[in-house]
Amino acid sequence: MSALEQAAALPLPTADEVAGLWEHRPNPAPASPEQREEIFGSLSFGVDFTDHMAHAVYEEGSGWQSKTIEPYGPLTLDPAAAVFHYGQEIFEGLKAYRHDDGSIWTFRPGYNAHRLNASARRLAIPELPVEDFLASIVGLVRADEEWVPSIPGSSLYLRPFIVATEPFLGVRAARRLDYLCIASPSGPYFVNGFQPISIWVSPDYHRAGPGGTGAAKCGGNYASSLVPKLEAHGEGFDEVCFLDAATNTNIDELGGMNVFVVYEDGSVSTPALTGNILEGGTRGVILQILRDRGVTVREETIPLTSLVADIESGRAAEVFACGTAAVVTPIGRIAGEGFDVSIGGGDVTKSIYDQVTAIQLGHEPDPYGWTYRVSA
Ligand SMILES: *Cc1c(COP(=O)(O)O)cnc(C)c1O
């Protein structure tokens, strides 16, 4: 088990225990039920935001302070704020779901809390206590309860992040930073059914290299993925797939999703955690579920040439990507310079999607303790 999985398995305080820890300053002008209904009528991803946000400030010497759930709105920042110049920033992504009985739940918030801190350590950012992370999530979701949609496949997407806000142009770790968590109601990822995506393997670009920040969830990795993503779109593909920077031969991951291969013999492979790829929470959940099904799973090096040969020979039966936004998305075509292969079938992919979403939505028992009740 990875260090992150071990940390994520530690017990968490209950929502009631942390609910009041962050001061609540209610929005004096929240959206009306009609405005909310209108937003719910055309949900997409990351465009609409709720009435509140969680906010805390770190100052060297005094630690994290002024922890509040406050009205959502623009920040006033000094143009010299370090994040604008050197990109000292990390983020997380998780969802709150409404169960059929109206209760609201998140999924493995402890994992996200510990991963935020793992990213923090790599970016010279002060860690946020796990209890504060939880208190910010619980406080925000409770304040914006009505914003958790109940439309099938929808959820309230939560985006916690930390930015360096000290006004200072010298290059060093900032001594003032802000933590925020914003929330965005989001619609079903698969609007047209469980459609496979096509991926373009970037021949020249990498998102991260050895010793770099590939294992941290930081904005910089995404900034470097935008040009290759444009390139993929230009070639007519949905997403870009990156190879490892050291040898330019092995599958790393997509810009924001991990990759799995299902073989004809029933076994499953995913790239090993080399330090260049981001350790996805969904990746961990899928590994656990497959192991408990008795499937042989390997975390290993997957050379691109082997993957292409295995798809051509039929030895590889399914390829899919995974992450919080989509949970699981089948990959139907993989191409790059000099190759272009299609892959069909998706029974295992679909069964994983069904099982994970059933646990998240409370339709199936949760023997792992992954779901976390935020409010009744
Ligand atoms: C967030 C992210 C993932 C997926 O992580 P989840 O915890 O499963 O959402 C995969 N790759 C990258 C680069 C990411 O930033």
Side-chain angles (χ1 to χ4, degrees), residues 148-202:
V148 184
S150 49
I151 306 149
S154 66
S155 60
L156 184 65
Y157 182 80
L158 302 167
R159 168 52 60 84
F161 60 102
I162 301 178
V163 282
T165 47
E166 183 188 0
F168 177 65
L169 294 185
V171 180
R172 62 155 167 74
R175 294 172 185 154
R176 184 203 141 110
L177 302 96
D178 285 49
Y179 164 83
L180 292 116
C181 181
I182 54 177
S184 175
S186 65
Y189 187 89
F190 296 103
V191 259
N192 304 313
F194 203 55
Q195 288 290 338
I197 59 165
S198 58
I199 61 173
W200 169 255
V201 181
S202 176

Side-chain angles (χ1 to χ4, degrees), residues 115 207 217 222 253 255-258 278 280-282 322-324:
R115 189 172 63 186
R207 61 178 284 283
K217 208 167 176 75
Y222 279 73
E253 61 170 320
M257 285 199 248
N258 297 117
L278 195 281
T282 317
C322 66
T324 296

Side-chain angles (χ1 to χ4, degrees), residues 2 36 82 111 126 150 157 159 208 253 266 327 334 360:
S2 72
R36 217 168 31 237
Y111 188 90
S150 49
Y157 182 80
R159 168 52 60 84
E253 61 170 320
V327 181
I334 305 175
Q360 287 172 335

Side-chain angles (χ1 to χ4, degrees), residues 75-96:
L75 305 172
T76 302
L77 289 181
D78 194 295
V83 65
F84 294 143
H85 306 281
Y86 310 123
Q88 197 186 3
E89 186 266 357
I90 54 174
F91 68 95
E92 272 303 323
L94 67 164
K95 287 173 168 178

